[in-house]
C-alpha cells in the first residue's frame, strides 16, 4: 500500500517537470528550425523528459502508479488540445510562465504538436502493460 501511495506522489511531482521540459524542448527545436541551425538544447530537454519517463517506468521499487499519475493528465491534456483548442489555451494560460514567450501560453507548442499525447501515452501504456516477471539472469 505504501509503495503505491509513494508511486502516486512521485508521479504527481514529476508531472510539472515533464510538462515544462517537453515544452522547453519543443520551443528549442522550433527556434533551431526557424534559424536553420542545430538545436542541442532541444535534444537535451527532450532527453531529460526521456530520462524522467525511464525512471518512472523502469524503477523496480516504484509502483506503476507513478507512470500512470504522470501520463494520464498528459494524455487528457493532449486530447483537449486536439479537440477543444480554445479551452486548452485558456487553461494553459493560467499556469506559471516558466520560459514561455509573451503572448503564448506555456505548453502551447507541445500541446498543439501532440508531444504531450505521445509522452503521456507511452507512460500510461507502460503502467498498464507492466510485466513483473524476473529475468532469468536474476535467478
Amino acid at each position: 500500500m505504501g509503495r503505491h501511495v509513494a508511486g502516486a506522489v512521485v508521479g504527481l511531482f514529476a508531472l510539472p517537470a515533464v510538462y515544462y521540459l517537453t515544452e522547453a524542448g519543443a520551443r528549442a527545436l522550433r527556434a533551431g528550425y526557424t534559424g536553420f541551425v542545430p538545436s542541442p538544447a532541444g535534444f537535451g530537454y527532450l532527453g531529460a523528459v526521456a530520462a524522467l519517463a525511464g525512471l518512472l517506468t523502469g524503477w523496480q521499487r516504484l509502483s506503476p502508479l507513478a507512470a500512470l499519475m504522470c501520463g494520464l493528465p498528459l494524455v487528457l491534456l493532449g486530447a483537449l488540445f486536439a479537440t477543444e483548442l480554445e479551452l486548452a489555451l485558456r487553461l494553459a494560460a493560467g499556469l506559471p510562465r516558466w520560459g514561455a514567450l509573451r503572448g503564448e501560453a506555456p505548453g502551447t507548442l507541445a500541446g498543439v504538436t501532440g508531444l504531450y499525447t505521445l509522452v503521456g501515452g507511452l507512460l500510461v501504456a507502460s503502467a498498464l502493460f507492466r510485466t513483473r516477471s524476473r529475468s532469468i539472469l536474476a535467478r
Side-chain angles (χ1 to χ4, degrees):
M1 175 73 173
R3 187 178 80 113
H4 295 300
V5 171
V9 169
V10 166
L12 287 176
F13 275 118
L15 179 60
V18 171
Y19 181 86
Y20 284 107
L21 283 172
T22 303
E23 177 66 12
R27 286 183 191 280
L29 289 176
R30 178 178 65 180
Y33 179 73
T34 58
F36 297 105
V37 294
S39 178
F43 178 74
Y45 288 131
L46 294 177
V49 170
L52 274 172
L55 284 173
L56 291 174
T57 60
W59 194 359
Q60 291 294 330
R61 297 190 185 261
L62 197 59
S63 168
L65 280 177
L68 188 65
M69 294 301 285
C70 185
L72 194 58
L74 292 173
V75 168
L76 294 175
L77 182 65
L80 192 62
F81 268 105
T83 58
E84 296 290 331
L85 184 59
E86 293 297 322
L87 177 61
L89 291 174
R90 278 194 310 249
L91 289 174
L95 295 173
R97 302 186 54 81
W98 294 331
L101 300 175
R102 268 184 215 191
E104 211 173 282
T108 303
L109 187 60
V112 171
T113 57
L115 282 174
Y116 290 137
T117 306
L118 178 68
V119 172
L122 291 173
L123 286 169
V124 169
S126 74
L128 295 179
F129 304 116
R130 194 164 192 165
T131 59
R132 291 291 182 180
S133 59
R134 291 183 182 214
S135 168
I136 59 170
L137 298 175
R139 293 181 192 174

